[in-house]
Amino acid sequence: MEFDGEFELDGVPPEKAWVVLSDPIAVRDSLKGCQYITPMDDSFEWDSYEPEDDIPTLPEAEADDVAARAFKTGQKYAALMQVGVGSVKPKFETTVTIEDRDEENFEMTATGSGSASGSSFSMNSGMRIHPQEDGDGSRIEWWTEADISGRIAQLGGRVINPVANKIVNNFFTSIESQMTDVEETDSGVTDRIRGMF
């Protein structure tokens, strides 16, 4: 299945959008059903991992902390996602690898796969942040190609597509709110963080 779209963030320039969308904690907090996103290695254990709560994001977070935890090319991340599709509400143990981060063009691509009881998926996804054509904000272009199997796949696109669109719309609405908070603070903070990537 293929999903793609665009989202406009008024008054948030691409360099600020890039900093917030590079922060796994900001992404986690904006992604409904996501319990955590954390770097993982070969010894990571899903059953015993305990995520930290109440980790500050911008503008409250320290610039050094945000830069240190930013998504890194080649790094694998563990993400626990619970997604309700119809009467099915599985928890997906998902592994995501950041394939590329293009700081110049504000583009990031990732691959991932996940499984839950009776369902699994694999995906290729990405996003690119463009300046708005008529304004000082950002236009975010995003895309995902996913292979879905099992119980969720049996529900078909008629059920899956509206759920996917709702998740994406909720995500960008929440991200926009976070970015507005950042926008109202000293713009030097995001510039400094970008310099640390």
Side-chain angles (χ1 to χ4, degrees):
M1 303 184 77
E2 293 187 8
F3 307 94
D4 59 63
E6 291 186 353
F7 198 88
E8 301 251 341
L9 296 172
D10 294 329
V12 181
E15 54 273 14
K16 291 198 176 184
W18 177 253
V19 167
V20 175
L21 287 167
S22 295
D23 181 0
I25 304 303
V27 171
R28 177 202 70 184
D29 291 351
S30 296
L31 201 52
K32 192 172 179 335
C34 183
Q35 296 180 15
Y36 59 79
I37 302 173
T38 188
M40 69 185 298
D41 55 24
D42 293 339
S43 63
F44 182 85
E45 293 185 7
W46 294 96
D47 294 335
S48 61
Y49 179 73
E50 292 285 335
E52 284 184 63
D53 290 330
D54 302 322
I55 301 173
T57 55
L58 291 172
E60 287 81 21
E62 293 292 328
D64 291 352
D65 293 340
V66 175
R69 70 184 182 220
F71 289 119
K72 293 174 179 59
T73 302
Q75 175 67 55
K76 285 187 177 180
Y77 294 84
L80 189 64
M81 285 282 306
Q82 184 161 27
V83 181
V85 183
S87 60
V88 183
K89 199 168 185 181
K91 273 189 181 177
F92 282 96
E93 294 179 350
T94 306
T95 302
V96 177
T97 302
I98 305 300
E99 298 294 340
D100 189 42
R101 277 175 50 85
D102 182 344
E103 182 84 25
E104 295 290 314
N105 295 304
F106 305 120
E107 184 169 348
M108 184 160 38
T109 58
T111 57
S113 61
S115 60
S117 55
S119 298
S120 64
F121 75 92
S122 61
M123 63 161 195
N124 292 299
S125 62
M127 65 150 194
R128 186 168 188 176
I129 307 171
H130 306 270
Q132 271 181 338
E133 290 173 13
D134 49 357
D136 57 356
S138 302
R139 178 174 60 85
I140 300 173
E141 177 188 3
W142 63 271
W143 60 92
T144 297
E145 292 178 16
D147 259 333
I148 304 169
S149 60
R151 291 176 64 197
I152 287 184
Q154 292 168 4
L155 298 172
R158 192 170 54 82
V159 175
I160 295 172
N161 286 349
V163 172
N165 287 333
K166 184 176 180 184
I167 290 170
V168 169
N169 285 332
N170 286 344
F171 172 76
F172 280 116
T173 300
S174 177
I175 280 286
E176 184 173 28
S177 171
Q178 285 194 54
M179 290 183 184
T180 301
D181 292 343
V182 174
E183 184 65 19
E184 289 170 356
T185 63
D186 176 16
S187 64
V189 172
T190 50
D191 293 340
R192 196 150 49 96
I193 292 170
R194 279 191 64 218
M196 297 176 189
F197 285 166

